[in-house]
Amino acid sequence: MPNDDELFAVVTEHNGGNHVRVQCEDGENRMGRIPGRMKYRTWINEGDVVLVEPWDWQDEKANIEWRYDSQDADQLRAEGHIQ
């Protein structure tokens, strides 16, 4: 579950390298950065539900903190946390 400064988001576009475009639950479209600790261990594809932390100094960018697998995303939808 997200902390105070984290949001649920859905990956809408993979921009190559370690960047993805995400649609956040607050309605914002942000550029998400995949950190090095996840880059080769966790594959992130379009349509995946992720947990993001928007940057304090640039609100249009965010760090990807976690990727939920399909089973966890379905459970989040069933509990009403995401659409």
PDB file of all heavy atoms in Angstrom, residues 5 30-31 33 53-65:
ATOM      1  N   ASP A   5       3.364   9.908   0.232  1.00  0.00           N
ATOM      2  CA  ASP A   5       3.885  10.556  -0.969  1.00  0.00           C
ATOM      3  C   ASP A   5       3.919   9.629  -2.180  1.00  0.00           C
ATOM      4  O   ASP A   5       4.495   9.974  -3.201  1.00  0.00           O
ATOM      5  CB  ASP A   5       5.278  11.119  -0.696  1.00  0.00           C
ATOM      6  CG  ASP A   5       6.237  10.073  -0.143  1.00  0.00           C
ATOM      7  OD1 ASP A   5       5.758   8.993   0.265  1.00  0.00           O
ATOM      8  OD2 ASP A   5       7.444  10.338  -0.116  1.00  0.00           O
ATOM      9  N   ARG A  30       2.699  11.229 -16.008  1.00  0.00           N
ATOM     10  CA  ARG A  30       4.065  11.508 -15.593  1.00  0.00           C
ATOM     11  C   ARG A  30       5.048  10.605 -16.336  1.00  0.00           C
ATOM     12  O   ARG A  30       4.699   9.530 -16.799  1.00  0.00           O
ATOM     13  CB  ARG A  30       4.222  11.261 -14.093  1.00  0.00           C
ATOM     14  CG  ARG A  30       3.500  12.262 -13.220  1.00  0.00           C
ATOM     15  CD  ARG A  30       3.802  12.026 -11.748  1.00  0.00           C
ATOM     16  NE  ARG A  30       3.294  13.113 -10.933  1.00  0.00           N
ATOM     17  CZ  ARG A  30       2.089  13.137 -10.374  1.00  0.00           C
ATOM     18  NH1 ARG A  30       1.267  12.123 -10.548  1.00  0.00           N
ATOM     19  NH2 ARG A  30       1.715  14.171  -9.651  1.00  0.00           N
ATOM     20  N   MET A  31       6.291  11.073 -16.395  1.00  0.00           N
ATOM     21  CA  MET A  31       7.398  10.272 -16.908  1.00  0.00           C
ATOM     22  C   MET A  31       7.953   9.497 -15.718  1.00  0.00           C
ATOM     23  O   MET A  31       8.388  10.095 -14.742  1.00  0.00           O
ATOM     24  CB  MET A  31       8.475  11.175 -17.508  1.00  0.00           C
ATOM     25  CG  MET A  31       9.711  10.435 -17.975  1.00  0.00           C
ATOM     26  SD  MET A  31       9.394   9.362 -19.366  1.00  0.00           S
ATOM     27  CE  MET A  31       9.052  10.558 -20.623  1.00  0.00           C
ATOM     28  N   ARG A  33      10.665   6.882 -14.003  1.00  0.00           N
ATOM     29  CA  ARG A  33      12.035   6.401 -14.137  1.00  0.00           C
ATOM     30  C   ARG A  33      12.163   5.085 -13.402  1.00  0.00           C
ATOM     31  O   ARG A  33      11.828   4.984 -12.227  1.00  0.00           O
ATOM     32  CB  ARG A  33      13.015   7.420 -13.540  1.00  0.00           C
ATOM     33  CG  ARG A  33      14.468   7.081 -13.798  1.00  0.00           C
ATOM     34  CD  ARG A  33      15.386   8.063 -13.104  1.00  0.00           C
ATOM     35  NE  ARG A  33      15.363   7.882 -11.664  1.00  0.00           N
ATOM     36  CZ  ARG A  33      16.096   6.991 -10.996  1.00  0.00           C
ATOM     37  NH1 ARG A  33      16.906   6.189 -11.646  1.00  0.00           N
ATOM     38  NH2 ARG A  33      16.018   6.901  -9.686  1.00  0.00           N
ATOM     39  N   GLU A  53       6.498   7.331  -6.895  1.00  0.00           N
ATOM     40  CA  GLU A  53       6.720   8.440  -5.971  1.00  0.00           C
ATOM     41  C   GLU A  53       7.097   9.673  -6.793  1.00  0.00           C
ATOM     42  O   GLU A  53       8.200   9.747  -7.328  1.00  0.00           O
ATOM     43  CB  GLU A  53       7.836   8.107  -4.988  1.00  0.00           C
ATOM     44  CG  GLU A  53       8.084   9.198  -3.975  1.00  0.00           C
ATOM     45  CD  GLU A  53       9.179   8.843  -2.998  1.00  0.00           C
ATOM     46  OE1 GLU A  53       9.760   7.748  -3.089  1.00  0.00           O
ATOM     47  OE2 GLU A  53       9.462   9.698  -2.156  1.00  0.00           O
ATOM     48  N   PRO A  54       6.166  10.638  -6.928  1.00  0.00           N
ATOM     49  CA  PRO A  54       6.479  11.853  -7.706  1.00  0.00           C
ATOM     50  C   PRO A  54       7.654  12.615  -7.099  1.00  0.00           C
ATOM     51  O   PRO A  54       7.827  12.640  -5.881  1.00  0.00           O
ATOM     52  CB  PRO A  54       5.192  12.674  -7.619  1.00  0.00           C
ATOM     53  CG  PRO A  54       4.121  11.692  -7.287  1.00  0.00           C
ATOM     54  CD  PRO A  54       4.792  10.633  -6.454  1.00  0.00           C
ATOM     55  N   TRP A  55       8.425  13.246  -7.983  1.00  0.00           N
ATOM     56  CA  TRP A  55       9.556  14.044  -7.525  1.00  0.00           C
ATOM     57  C   TRP A  55       9.045  15.302  -6.846  1.00  0.00           C
ATOM     58  O   TRP A  55       8.050  15.895  -7.275  1.00  0.00           O
ATOM     59  CB  TRP A  55      10.442  14.419  -8.707  1.00  0.00           C
ATOM     60  CG  TRP A  55      11.177  13.267  -9.314  1.00  0.00           C
ATOM     61  CD1 TRP A  55      11.080  11.946  -8.979  1.00  0.00           C
ATOM     62  CD2 TRP A  55      12.118  13.336 -10.378  1.00  0.00           C
ATOM     63  NE1 TRP A  55      11.897  11.196  -9.772  1.00  0.00           N
ATOM     64  CE2 TRP A  55      12.561  12.025 -10.644  1.00  0.00           C
ATOM     65  CE3 TRP A  55      12.620  14.372 -11.128  1.00  0.00           C
ATOM     66  CZ2 TRP A  55      13.483  11.737 -11.622  1.00  0.00           C
ATOM     67  CZ3 TRP A  55      13.545  14.079 -12.114  1.00  0.00           C
ATOM     68  CH2 TRP A  55      13.971  12.774 -12.356  1.00  0.00           C
ATOM     69  N   ASP A  56       9.757  15.753  -5.821  1.00  0.00           N
ATOM     70  CA  ASP A  56       9.377  16.979  -5.121  1.00  0.00           C
ATOM     71  C   ASP A  56       9.634  18.212  -5.974  1.00  0.00           C
ATOM     72  O   ASP A  56       8.870  19.172  -5.940  1.00  0.00           O
ATOM     73  CB  ASP A  56      10.160  17.113  -3.807  1.00  0.00           C
ATOM     74  CG  ASP A  56       9.789  16.032  -2.810  1.00  0.00           C
ATOM     75  OD1 ASP A  56       8.650  15.521  -2.888  1.00  0.00           O
ATOM     76  OD2 ASP A  56      10.628  15.705  -1.958  1.00  0.00           O
ATOM     77  N   TRP A  57      10.709  18.197  -6.755  1.00  0.00           N
ATOM     78  CA  TRP A  57      11.123  19.387  -7.498  1.00  0.00           C
ATOM     79  C   TRP A  57      10.595  19.417  -8.921  1.00  0.00           C
ATOM     80  O   TRP A  57      10.619  20.463  -9.558  1.00  0.00           O
ATOM     81  CB  TRP A  57      12.646  19.501  -7.489  1.00  0.00           C
ATOM     82  CG  TRP A  57      13.341  18.319  -8.091  1.00  0.00           C
ATOM     83  CD1 TRP A  57      13.761  18.192  -9.374  1.00  0.00           C
ATOM     84  CD2 TRP A  57      13.683  17.096  -7.456  1.00  0.00           C
ATOM     85  NE1 TRP A  57      14.341  16.965  -9.586  1.00  0.00           N
ATOM     86  CE2 TRP A  57      14.308  16.264  -8.399  1.00  0.00           C
ATOM     87  CE3 TRP A  57      13.521  16.601  -6.167  1.00  0.00           C
ATOM     88  CZ2 TRP A  57      14.762  14.990  -8.112  1.00  0.00           C
ATOM     89  CZ3 TRP A  57      13.981  15.318  -5.886  1.00  0.00           C
ATOM     90  CH2 TRP A  57      14.591  14.535  -6.849  1.00  0.00           C
ATOM     91  N   GLN A  58      10.127  18.291  -9.461  1.00  0.00           N
ATOM     92  CA  GLN A  58       9.515  18.246 -10.796  1.00  0.00           C
ATOM     93  C   GLN A  58       8.332  17.306 -10.714  1.00  0.00           C
ATOM     94  O   GLN A  58       8.487  16.084 -10.761  1.00  0.00           O
ATOM     95  CB  GLN A  58      10.503  17.719 -11.838  1.00  0.00           C
ATOM     96  CG  GLN A  58      11.460  18.742 -12.392  1.00  0.00           C
ATOM     97  CD  GLN A  58      12.314  18.135 -13.491  1.00  0.00           C
ATOM     98  OE1 GLN A  58      12.982  17.125 -13.287  1.00  0.00           O
ATOM     99  NE2 GLN A  58      12.312  18.779 -14.641  1.00  0.00           N
ATOM    100  N   ASP A  59       7.139  17.869 -10.615  1.00  0.00           N
ATOM    101  CA  ASP A  59       5.947  17.046 -10.403  1.00  0.00           C
ATOM    102  C   ASP A  59       5.589  16.196 -11.620  1.00  0.00           C
ATOM    103  O   ASP A  59       4.846  15.233 -11.495  1.00  0.00           O
ATOM    104  CB  ASP A  59       4.763  17.938 -10.018  1.00  0.00           C
ATOM    105  CG  ASP A  59       3.605  17.126  -9.474  1.00  0.00           C
ATOM    106  OD1 ASP A  59       3.850  16.278  -8.593  1.00  0.00           O
ATOM    107  OD2 ASP A  59       2.468  17.334  -9.946  1.00  0.00           O
ATOM    108  N   GLU A  60       6.126  16.543 -12.808  1.00  0.00           N
ATOM    109  CA  GLU A  60       5.785  15.773 -14.009  1.00  0.00           C
ATOM    110  C   GLU A  60       6.637  14.512 -14.156  1.00  0.00           C
ATOM    111  O   GLU A  60       6.477  13.773 -15.118  1.00  0.00           O
ATOM    112  CB  GLU A  60       5.886  16.635 -15.267  1.00  0.00           C
ATOM    113  CG  GLU A  60       7.292  17.060 -15.633  1.00  0.00           C
ATOM    114  CD  GLU A  60       7.740  18.352 -14.964  1.00  0.00           C
ATOM    115  OE1 GLU A  60       6.980  18.927 -14.188  1.00  0.00           O
ATOM    116  OE2 GLU A  60       8.875  18.771 -15.230  1.00  0.00           O
ATOM    117  N   LYS A  61       7.520  14.241 -13.187  1.00  0.00           N
ATOM    118  CA  LYS A  61       8.349  13.039 -13.208  1.00  0.00           C
ATOM    119  C   LYS A  61       8.178  12.274 -11.899  1.00  0.00           C
ATOM    120  O   LYS A  61       7.799  12.848 -10.881  1.00  0.00           O
ATOM    121  CB  LYS A  61       9.812  13.398 -13.409  1.00  0.00           C
ATOM    122  CG  LYS A  61      10.092  14.026 -14.757  1.00  0.00           C
ATOM    123  CD  LYS A  61      11.550  14.288 -14.960  1.00  0.00           C
ATOM    124  CE  LYS A  61      11.780  14.922 -16.325  1.00  0.00           C
ATOM    125  NZ  LYS A  61      13.198  15.197 -16.558  1.00  0.00           N
ATOM    126  N   ALA A  62       8.458  10.961 -11.960  1.00  0.00           N
ATOM    127  CA  ALA A  62       8.286  10.123 -10.769  1.00  0.00           C
ATOM    128  C   ALA A  62       9.225   8.927 -10.840  1.00  0.00           C
ATOM    129  O   ALA A  62       9.645   8.506 -11.925  1.00  0.00           O
ATOM    130  CB  ALA A  62       6.841   9.639 -10.665  1.00  0.00           C
ATOM    131  N   ASN A  63       9.544   8.383  -9.691  1.00  0.00           N
ATOM    132  CA  ASN A  63      10.311   7.143  -9.601  1.00  0.00           C
ATOM    133  C   ASN A  63       9.352   5.975  -9.451  1.00  0.00           C
ATOM    134  O   ASN A  63       8.379   6.052  -8.696  1.00  0.00           O
ATOM    135  CB  ASN A  63      11.252   7.169  -8.395  1.00  0.00           C
ATOM    136  CG  ASN A  63      12.429   8.074  -8.594  1.00  0.00           C
ATOM    137  OD1 ASN A  63      12.882   8.278  -9.709  1.00  0.00           O
ATOM    138  ND2 ASN A  63      12.930   8.618  -7.506  1.00  0.00           N
ATOM    139  N   ILE A  64       9.633   4.884 -10.158  1.00  0.00           N
ATOM    140  CA  ILE A  64       8.865   3.653  -9.995  1.00  0.00           C
ATOM    141  C   ILE A  64       9.397   2.950  -8.742  1.00  0.00           C
ATOM    142  O   ILE A  64      10.595   2.672  -8.650  1.00  0.00           O
ATOM    143  CB  ILE A  64       9.017   2.722 -11.220  1.00  0.00           C
ATOM    144  CG1 ILE A  64       8.689   3.449 -12.522  1.00  0.00           C
ATOM    145  CG2 ILE A  64       8.190   1.460 -11.052  1.00  0.00           C
ATOM    146  CD1 ILE A  64       7.249   3.755 -12.738  1.00  0.00           C
ATOM    147  N   GLU A  65       8.528   2.667  -7.793  1.00  0.00           N
ATOM    148  CA  GLU A  65       8.952   2.027  -6.548  1.00  0.00           C
ATOM    149  C   GLU A  65       8.645   0.535  -6.525  1.00  0.00           C
ATOM    150  O   GLU A  65       9.355  -0.235  -5.885  1.00  0.00           O
ATOM    151  CB  GLU A  65       8.278   2.707  -5.348  1.00  0.00           C
ATOM    152  CG  GLU A  65       8.651   4.166  -5.187  1.00  0.00           C
ATOM    153  CD  GLU A  65      10.121   4.361  -4.869  1.00  0.00           C
ATOM    154  OE1 GLU A  65      10.705   3.507  -4.179  1.00  0.00           O
ATOM    155  OE2 GLU A  65      10.693   5.364  -5.324  1.00  0.00           O
TER     156      GLU A  65
END
